[in-house]
Amino acid sequence: MPPILVTVQEAIGSDGAIPCRILSDSGRSDLLYLSFSPVRFVYLKRITNAALDAAALAVKIALGLIGIMALWLGVMKVAEEAGIIAIIARAVRPITTRLFSDIPDDHPAIGAMIMNISANMLGLGNAATPFGLKAMEELNKLNKHAGTATNAMVTFLALNTSCVTLVPATAIAVRAASGSSDPAVIIGTTFLTSLVATVFAVIFAKVFQRLSVFRVREKEAA
Amino acid sequence: MSILREIVTIISVLAIPGLILFFLVYGQFKRIRVYEAMVEGGKEGFTIAVKIIPYLVAMLVGIAIFRASGAMDFLITGLQPLTDLIGFPAEAMPMALMRPLSGSGSLGIMSEILKTYGPDSFIGVLTSTLMGSTETTFYVLAVYFGAVNVRNTRHALPTGLLADFASFLAALFFVKLLFF
């Protein structure tokens, strides 16, 4: 179907048929015209639909998280009580003391952040989020200004969003589905790209936290 | 290289069942009340998930309007002289712009681009690398900060977006260097 008709279909909210009038040229019997009634406010209608759909989608995403969150936070609690999280935190202490200078070495936030970042590296998005949110909660316990991000939070999120990727699972799946001769060929470029991005993310986070625009304002925080 | 790839793939498949098994067995070994601890920890899942809803609504609605209104296409056209200057292909621009905004949106754009230009073309490999190498910055910020009710995010957004920009340039560089 020509794009213009798709737009008309969308604007009148029909999935299939588009009503039209058939006109005939009075002089000629072998010619017929199709006349569509004009459509208006195409973009505004799109915006309305998009906004309402997005609001519904947000709830769907959040509710979908409940089960996964409950599972991983439960497993995490077991690991915490058994002392596994503390062991992991101790193992990566040389790195974390430099990245997160304002967090005590043995703080539970460290273990949760490590779990989150490891899960991200392996492309396990579902498992990463619960660990990450747990890490944010732990970081927030050290926050002196509720409602305002701490330096550690921003550094953690910078690491998280740019995260070094060993297995870009989703991208490989889409490539395979679209008939690539070697779907996994992007592992190399993805790894190098994300490595560079991570280095820059940490540098940006560390530089920006010193700028006066981003400093914590006492009265706003109070 | 292919052996390494195999190892990495096996690790990522084993990770979730292995992790659950290891944690629970180790907990049992350490004489932790495993079931009680799991249920206790899991309780928080509901509160956290519900807490992020308003943050997620605000972010997703804003992005949806940005896309549906045509503002994004407008921005892509406006940025073209700049991207031409650094040699970033115009065909991959929708992906670069969508990646930080929406995970499902960029997935859609990626499938579209792979269909049009082929998954093993320069544009295809570049787009796949962009998809794989960064997270959806806006989504992560909304969800993670939402979970702890942080509204003043300070330097988080500029840091995330500049890191994304760095990763676009790095992707362009490495894809050209290694393949084309």
Side-chain angles (χ1 to χ4, degrees):
Chain A
M1 204 156 56
I4 181 74
L5 287 186
V6 177
T7 310
V8 173
Q9 202 178 37
E10 183 195 324
I12 60 173
S14 150
D15 296 332
I18 305 168
C20 66
R21 213 182 289 275
I22 298 175
L23 306 171
S24 60
D25 195 328
S26 53
R28 300 174 59 176
S29 57
D30 60 339
L31 200 60
L32 290 174
Y33 295 96
L34 295 181
S35 165
F36 297 93
S37 49
V39 290
R40 296 191 297 162
F41 305 127
V42 172
Y43 273 95
L44 282 176
K45 281 178 184 164
R46 266 185 208 161
I47 291 175
T48 309
N49 288 338
L52 297 178
D53 287 350
L57 177 69
V59 175
K60 219 172 115 190
I61 293 176
L63 292 186
L65 271 177
I66 295 177
I68 305 165
M69 293 282 299
L71 168 65
W72 283 108
L73 290 178
V75 173
M76 178 91 179
K77 184 85 181 168
V78 175
E80 207 179 299
E81 286 190 10
I84 302 174
I85 302 296
I87 295 171
I88 298 172
R90 220 171 298 140
V92 293
R93 188 177 294 179
I95 307 169
T96 50
T97 45
R98 282 185 185 83
L99 281 177
F100 305 102
S101 45
D102 36 5
I103 302 177
D105 278 348
D106 50 351
H107 197 270
I110 302 273
M113 287 194 286
I114 298 303
M115 296 297 295
N116 169 266
I117 289 167
S118 319
N120 263 337
M121 286 170 99
L122 293 173
L124 310 172
N126 276 344
T129 310
F131 292 133
L133 298 188
K134 179 79 184 162
M136 289 300 280
E137 282 207 324
E138 294 296 340
L139 289 176
N140 205 36
K141 286 180 190 162
L142 299 169
N143 191 355
K144 292 187 192 77
H145 311 281
T148 301
T150 62
N151 288 343
M153 286 178 183
V154 177
T155 308
F156 169 54
L157 289 187
L159 278 176
N160 180 305
T161 56
S162 64
C163 187
V164 173
T165 314
L166 296 177
V167 186
T170 320
I172 293 179
V174 177
R175 288 174 60 73
S178 54
S180 167
S181 59
D182 188 0
V185 76
I186 58 161
I187 287 184
T189 50
T190 306
F191 173 72
L192 292 172
T193 301
S194 54
L195 193 66
V196 171
T198 306
V199 171
F200 273 101
V202 172
I203 294 173
F204 288 138
K206 292 287 173 189
V207 170
F208 287 166
Q209 73 185 32
R210 290 162 199 273
L211 300 182
S212 59
V213 226
F214 297 126
R215 203 162 292 155
V216 182
R217 275 160 295 222
E218 295 292 335
K219 63 173 183 294
E220 186 185 335
Chain B
M1 185 64 200
S2 68
I3 296 172
L4 194 71
R5 192 181 292 163
E6 190 68 9
I7 293 172
V8 167
T9 316
I10 291 173
I11 291 177
S12 83
V13 173
L14 278 181
I16 288 183
L19 219 55
I20 295 180
L21 191 70
F22 173 71
F23 282 3
L24 298 189
V25 170
Y26 189 82
Q28 194 68 47
F29 173 74
K30 281 269 169 177
R31 307 231 165 271
I32 303 294
R33 291 169 163 275
V34 173
Y35 181 71
E36 281 86 338
M38 256 201 95
V39 177
E40 188 55 40
K43 268 184 202 160
E44 280 176 79
F46 185 79
T47 16
I48 295 181
V50 171
K51 227 196 278 181
I52 63 176
I53 290 178
Y55 297 86
L56 214 49
V57 168
M59 193 262 316
L60 289 181
V61 168
I63 289 170
I65 291 177
F66 179 63
R67 285 178 67 186
S69 64
M72 197 177 119
D73 302 327
F74 193 70
L75 192 62
I76 291 177
T77 320
L79 285 176
Q80 185 138 18
L82 207 70
T83 53
D84 285 349
L85 203 69
I86 54 173
F88 198 91
E91 298 89 335
M93 263 310 280
M95 184 63 184
L97 223 53
M98 184 57 85
R99 191 68 199 97
L101 296 178
S102 157
S104 59
S106 47
L107 206 58
I109 290 181
M110 178 183 168
S111 319
E112 196 67 31
I113 290 180
L114 293 195
K115 212 190 307 166
T116 315
Y117 301 97
D120 302 313
S121 65
F122 169 59
I123 306 287
V125 174
L126 179 65
T127 308
S128 315
T129 304
L130 290 178
M131 181 75 205
S133 58
T134 86
E135 279 285 321
T136 314
T137 304
F138 277 88
Y139 173 80
V140 170
L141 293 191
V143 168
Y144 282 45
F145 279 132
V148 289
N149 280 324
V150 164
R151 290 165 302 267
N152 178 4
T153 61
R154 292 176 58 219
H155 52 306
L157 189 60
T159 300
L161 291 182
L162 276 175
D164 285 340
F165 184 65
S167 90
F168 300 153
L169 295 186
L172 181 65
F173 175 77
F174 287 121
V175 170
K176 274 199 168 153
L177 183 77
L178 294 177
F179 295 118
F180 297 96

